[in-house]
């Protein structure tokens, strides 16, 4: 019974969550980047009684989308997140594929080979 009530709600959320950024549900509750929103009588809402649900408006996917594509001279580029100990394991990205742009699987940064 609960699954039957939840599934239509998920279909509505999937359509609403296609655009990135902070959205609000029809009840006015802020929806997180994962689509988390609770019904009015859901017991999990007790965490937010007397206070506002806090949602970070800077979703990682939006911040990465703002980063320009880095043009490099080499065919293979290494990405380690650029943060030293705060980065990620070093990966090597091959740029001579048909896609012409390589994307790091960890941080999402994009690289493009600059042709002379």
């Amino acid at each position: 019974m609960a699954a039957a009530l939840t599934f239509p709600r998920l279909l509505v959320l999937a359509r609403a969550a296609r655009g990135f950024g902070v959205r609000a549900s029809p009840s006015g509750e802020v929806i997180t980047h994962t689509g988390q929103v609770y019904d009015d009588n859901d017991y999990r809402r007790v965490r937010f009684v007397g206070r506002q649900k806090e949602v970070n408006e800077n979703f990682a996917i939006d911040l990465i989308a703002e980063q320009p594509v880095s043009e490099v001279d080499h065919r293979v580029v290494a990405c380690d997140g650029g943060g030293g100990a705060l980065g990620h394991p070093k990966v090597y990205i091959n740029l001579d594929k048909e896609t012409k742009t390589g994307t790091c699987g960890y941080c999402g940064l994009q690289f493009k080979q600059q042709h002379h």
Side-chain angles (χ1 to χ4, degrees):
M1 178 69 178
L5 296 175
T6 304
F7 184 70
R9 185 184 77 170
L10 289 175
L11 290 176
V12 170
L13 287 177
R15 284 187 221 117
R18 289 183 194 251
F20 301 114
V22 176
R23 304 252 186 239
S25 69
S27 65
E29 181 181 356
V30 179
I31 300 173
T32 66
H33 71 286
T34 59
Q36 181 188 49
V37 64
Y38 302 123
D39 292 331
D40 289 334
N41 55 357
D42 194 328
Y43 72 92
R44 293 174 289 186
R45 289 180 61 104
V46 73
R47 295 183 285 175
F48 308 112
V49 172
R51 59 185 161 153
Q52 181 68 23
K53 179 178 177 182
E54 296 180 15
V55 176
N56 186 352
E57 297 178 7
N58 295 321
F59 296 157
I61 195 165
D62 292 334
L63 296 174
I64 289 295
E66 293 175 2
Q67 293 293 321
V69 177
S70 300
E71 292 192 6
V72 295
D73 294 331
H74 303 293
R75 209 173 40 89
V76 178
V77 64
C79 181
D80 64 357
L86 300 177
H88 57 71
K90 185 183 283 188
V91 293
Y92 294 92
I93 303 166
N94 190 359
L95 299 177
D96 61 352
K97 299 177 185 175
E98 294 179 12
T99 58
K100 308 291 187 213
T101 302
T103 304
C104 177
Y106 284 102
C107 62
L109 291 177
Q110 294 185 344
F111 299 93
K112 182 178 182 179
Q113 185 178 9
Q114 181 181 18
H115 297 286
H116 302 286

